[in-house]
Amino acid sequence: MATSLTKIDSSVFKPAPTCAAPPTPDPAKPPQPRKISIFLLLAAGLLAWVFFSNTMRDGVEQGVYFGVLLILGLGLGIALFHSRFGFTSAWRQLVAVGNGQGLRNHALLLGTTATIFMLLFVTGWSAFGNEPTPYSGTIGVGLFLGAFIFGIGMQLGGGCASGTLFAVGSGQSTVVPTLIGFIAGSVIFTTPWFFALVRDLPGMEPVLLSDHVGYVGGWGITILALLALIGISKVIQARRTPPPAGTPPTARGWARAVRGSWPMWVGALVLAGLGGAVMWVSGGIWGVTNALALWGARFLQLLGLQPETWEFWQQDGWAEMIADPVLSHQNSLTNFGIMIGAAIAAAAGGSWVLNRDIRWKHVGVALLGGILMGIGARLAEGCNIGAYLGGIASGSVSGWLWALAALAGTWAGLKCRSLAGLANPRPTDSVC
C-alpha cells in the first residue's frame, strides 16, 4: 500500500518526513489534588530537612546551597516528565526505524547547554564561589566498553539514567526493577574483586577542545558538529520515512504548562537552563550515577558491611563522598528532586497511578538492564547525562566517543530486546 509523505514537527529547524501524520494526543485526565498535596508536602519536608541539617553541620550558606540543588532537581523532574524527554527512546527510534526527531532535540539540548557552559567558563560566574569547571572524561577501553554496555542496558531496562528516575517518580512501577538493578550494578563495580579487574584498563588523558582552541573556539566546533548531526539525521529520516513519534496526553491552552505534555524542544531548552543552573551553583555538571553507587554502599552499611574499606571507596573524591551525609551530596539531591518533581507533574496531569500489571517474565530483563547500566556508567565515568550531555557541552571529545559507543550498544540492545520478547519499533507501526 502506497503511503503519502506527511511532515511532523521535528522541533528543531525544518520538519522531516514520516509515513503518516502524528496522532492527535488524548486529553489529559483531571488533576489528582490529594496526590499533588502529598508530593508537595514531601518536597517541602525534604527541603526543610536538607536546609536545617546542612545549616547545623556547616552553616547557613551550605544549607541554602544544598537546598537550591534540591529545588533544581525538582525542576528537572518536572521538565523531564512534561516533555517526556527520552534518550533511550530517541536512540531506539533512530536505530530501529530512522526517526531522528528525538536525536535532533538532543542536539538542541546539547547546543543550548554548551552555550550556557561556555558563557560560565569564560566569565567564571558562579553563585556560591564554585568555579565552573568543564567535565573531561578519560578516553580508553573503559569509555568504549562502558558506553556500549550502557547502551544495551538502556534498551533492556527501558530507560536511561534520568529516564529511570523520572519514570519511577511518575508512578511507573515497572521501571523499579531497572532502578534496583542500576544501584546493584553500580555497587558490583565497586566491589574489590570486580574493581581489580577493570582499574588498570588502557586509556589516555582527557581531550578538551578548550585546551587547544579556547572556550569560544571549542563552542564553535561543538555547534558545527551538532548542526552536522542534525543534517545527517534528517537525511536518514528522509530516506526511511519512518512512523511518527507518539504523543502523550495533554491539556490545552495555558493549562498545558502544568498539566500537559510539552513539545520536546521546550523540554530541551528548560533542561538546558536547569543543567546550566547546576553548573552555576555547584561549579560542576549535572550528574546522576555516582549517587546510585553511594546509595548502594549506604545500604550495605545498614546491613553491617564496610564498603568504605574497599579500594574503590578509598579513592580521592569517593572517600569524601561516602564519609559525608547523603543529603550533603549534590547528585543525590538532584536525583531525589527529579523523582519528586516527576511525581508532582504526573499528579498534576492526572496520570500518577502505580502500574500493577507487571509482567514478571520481564522483571528479570529490566533488572539485568539496570545492572548493565550501573556497571557501564562506572566503566565509562558517566552516563547519558554526565558523560554524554556534560561531556559534549563541556567540549570534551570523550562525550562524542561515548555517544558513538552507546549508539552501537543501542543496536545490540535492540537485538537483545527481540530475544527477550520485548517489542521494537517497526516501519509498519502507526507510531514509533
Side-chain angles (χ1 to χ4, degrees):
M1 178 178 177
T3 58
S4 60
L5 299 186
T6 58
K7 292 184 176 181
I8 61 172
D9 176 8
S10 64
S11 303
V12 182
F13 302 101
K14 296 179 181 179
T18 54
C19 65
T24 302
D26 294 329
K29 295 179 180 180
Q32 301 167 307
R34 182 176 297 178
K35 292 177 181 177
I36 294 173
S37 300
I38 291 172
F39 296 135
L40 285 174
L41 285 173
L42 177 60
L46 182 58
L47 181 60
W49 188 6
V50 167
F51 172 76
F52 286 111
S53 63
N54 283 287
T55 294
M56 294 295 293
R57 183 171 179 263
D58 293 313
V60 173
E61 183 175 351
Q62 287 298 293
V64 173
Y65 169 72
F66 288 112
V68 169
L69 287 172
L70 177 61
I71 291 171
L72 290 175
L74 292 168
L76 288 166
I78 291 170
L80 284 165
F81 177 82
H82 276 309
S83 61
R84 308 301 200 275
F85 201 95
F87 294 85
T88 304
S89 58
W91 286 334
R92 184 187 306 155
Q93 291 162 2
L94 176 72
V95 174
V97 294
N99 191 321
Q101 177 183 3
L103 188 66
R104 289 189 290 277
N105 282 285
H106 287 192
L108 179 60
L109 169 62
L110 290 162
T112 307
T113 305
T115 303
I116 296 172
F117 279 9
M118 185 271 290
L119 294 173
L120 292 176
F121 296 153
V122 168
T123 62
W125 187 36
S126 65
F128 290 88
N130 298 312
E131 181 181 357
T133 304
Y135 168 86
S136 57
T138 303
I139 298 174
V141 173
L143 171 65
F144 292 105
L145 181 60
F148 180 79
I149 292 173
F150 191 92
I152 296 174
M154 282 196 302
Q155 299 306 325
L156 292 178
C160 56
S162 55
T164 298
L165 291 176
F166 92 75
V168 170
S170 61
Q172 298 180 40
S173 51
T174 53
V175 189
V176 171
T178 304
L179 179 58
I180 294 173
F182 210 148
I183 296 172
S186 302
V187 172
I188 288 172
F189 182 91
T190 70
T191 57
W193 63 269
F194 193 99
F195 184 62
L197 296 175
V198 298
R199 65 185 174 190
D200 296 321
L201 292 176
M204 57 180 285
E205 292 298 315
V207 178
L208 280 173
L209 296 175
S210 58
D211 290 340
H212 303 277
V213 294
Y215 288 124
V216 176
W219 170 82
I221 293 172
T222 299
I223 297 301
L224 288 175
L226 292 171
L227 290 173
L229 182 65
I230 290 170
I232 293 170
S233 76
K234 291 183 65 178
V235 169
I236 293 173
Q237 183 161 332
R239 289 181 176 179
R240 299 182 65 177
T241 56
T247 53
T250 186
R252 302 293 180 183
W254 288 103
R256 186 177 184 183
V258 294
R259 296 194 50 247
S261 62
W262 302 348
M264 279 191 74
W265 69 266
V266 173
L269 294 176
V270 174
L271 290 171
L274 291 168
V278 171
M279 174 67 75
W280 177 63
V281 169
S282 68
I285 60 169
W286 164 32
V288 173
T289 57
N290 66 4
L292 305 184
L294 176 61
W295 298 353
R298 290 295 193 192
F299 179 72
L300 293 182
Q301 288 178 328
L302 290 176
L303 298 180
L305 300 178
Q306 296 179 313
E308 70 277 5
T309 64
W310 299 348
E311 181 183 359
F312 177 89
W313 290 104
Q314 293 180 350
Q315 299 177 101
D316 291 343
W318 294 97
E320 293 83 353
M321 185 187 303
I322 199 170
D324 291 338
V326 172
L327 293 184
S328 297
H329 180 236
Q330 171 184 328
N331 292 349
S332 291
L333 290 173
T334 51
N335 285 359
F336 292 145
I338 287 171
M339 289 188 284
I340 299 173
I344 294 170
S351 62
W352 200 96
V353 179
L354 285 176
N355 186 350
R356 295 179 176 85
D357 184 21
I358 298 176
R359 298 183 179 181
W360 292 105
K361 66 178 182 179
H362 292 157
V363 169
V365 176
L367 189 67
L368 174 61
I371 291 173
L372 292 175
M373 284 196 288
I375 294 173
R378 294 278 51 83
L379 269 172
E381 299 180 356
C383 61
N384 58 293
I385 296 300
Y388 174 53
L389 172 58
I392 291 178
S394 294
S396 177
V397 173
S398 65
W400 292 100
L401 298 177
W402 190 97
L404 290 174
L407 274 173
T410 295
W411 178 85
L414 295 182
K415 302 298 183 183
C416 294
R417 283 177 62 89
S418 297
L419 293 175
L422 300 177
N424 291 319
R426 297 174 298 177
T428 55
D429 291 340
S430 58
V431 296
C432 62

